[in-house]
Amino acid sequence: MDESPLEQQSQSHEEENEIVTEGSSAFVHGEPSSQDGSVPPNVDSQVEVLDEKVSKQIIKEGHGSKPSKYSTCFLHYRAWTKHTQHKFEDTWQEQQPIELVLGKEKKEMTGLAIGVASMKSGERALLHIGWELGYGKDGNFSFPNVPPMADLLYEVEVIGFDETKEGKARSDMTVEERIGAADRRKMDGNNLFKEDKLEEAMQQYEMAIAYMGDDFMFQLYGKYQDMALAVKNPCHLNMAACLIKMKRYDEAIGHCNTVLTEEEKNPKALFRRGKAKAELGQMDSAREDFRKAQKYAPDDNAIRRELRVIAEQEKAVYQKQKEMYKGIFGGRDESGGKAKSRNWLVMLWQWLLSLFSRIFGRNRVKAE
C-alpha cells in the first residue's frame, strides 16, 4: 500500500511545514470535564430540548450535516448518573470509539441516540437524559452499573458517521469490506490534512481506527492481519502528527505507543514519540527514541536534525551553567582572597601591639 502524505513528510524535514488551525481544540461554551474525566463538564450554553426526556447543551460546535436515520455513527462519550455524578462508562479511557446505528440502538441507548441524531461531526455536547430513555426503572447491575430510575448525563463527541447509502454496521461487513472502509477514511483524512483541517482529519483517522477495533484485530492472522495493520498503524501515526502540531503531546505519545506495541522497530513511531517527548522537555528519553529510529532508518535526515537540535540545546545549557558556576565560584575566590589579606593585617597589627606592650612593660619594671 502507498505511504500517506504524512508518512512521506516525516522522512524529510525540509518538506515539513508548520500547520496552524484556528480554535483547533477550543471549547466554546464552558469548560471540558476534568482532566481525568471524573466529573461532568460545566457548560453555560443554551439548553436545547430535543425530547420530553432529552436536552442538549453544546460544548464545541461541529461542522457539516447531521446524521439521518440508520446512519452508522462513531462517537466517544463519558456517562454519569445525574444526581450522584457517579461515572459509569468512559470510551475515551478505552481509546476506542463506539459505533451507534441510529434507529437500531439498544433500548438503554434510546436517549443517547436522540441526542446524537441532533449533532454534527466534530460536535461535543452535554446530554441530559431522563431515566425512562436510559436504563429504566430497574437500572443495570452488571456492566455498566447504573442504579434504578437514574437520570443520566452524557458528554458526547461525534467523530463522524456513514450514511445508510455508504455502508452498514461493522458487524455485518466482511474482513475486506472493513479494511476497505477504514482505508477510505484514512485517505479522506490525508486530504483534509493537506488542507490544514487537522480536527477534521483526526476525525477521519479515528473512524478508520474504529473499523479496526481490538475485537476485530484479535480474529485476524496472516495476510489479513498484515492488511489491517497497514491501514491501522498509519492512522495512529497520522493522528500523532496532528496532535504534535496541536501541542497535545501526551496524546501523540499514546498513539505512537499503540503502533510500537505491534511494531517495536517502526522508525516513524519512534521519531514522532521522540518529537513529542522533546517538546515536553524529556530530552534523555527523546534522544533514546531518536537513536533507535536512526538505527532502523539510518538515512533519514529529519532524525539527524532532531538529534543535532538536542545536542545543540544541551551544549547551550552546559555553557550557561558553566558561566553561572564560574561567576559563583569566581566571586567566592575573590572574596576569599580579600578576607585572607585582611586576616594577615589583623595578625600583624596584633603582633606589633604585643611587641610594644612587652617593651613598654620591661621599661616600666626597670624604672621602678
Side-chain angles (χ1 to χ4, degrees), residues 314 316-326:
E314 290 181 336
V317 170
Y318 171 76
Q319 289 296 333
K320 285 183 180 179
Q321 291 176 340
K322 185 178 177 181
E323 292 297 322
M324 180 180 68
Y325 289 127
K326 181 180 178 182

Side-chain angles (χ1 to χ4, degrees), residues 18 38 72 113 137 161 164 170 173 214 222 228-229 262 291 311 363 368:
E18 198 68 29
S38 57
T72 300
K137 183 178 180 181
F161 56 88
T164 311
R170 289 175 295 176
M173 290 182 174
D214 291 340
L229 287 175
E262 299 285 350
R291 284 177 176 170
N363 290 336
E368 290 175 351

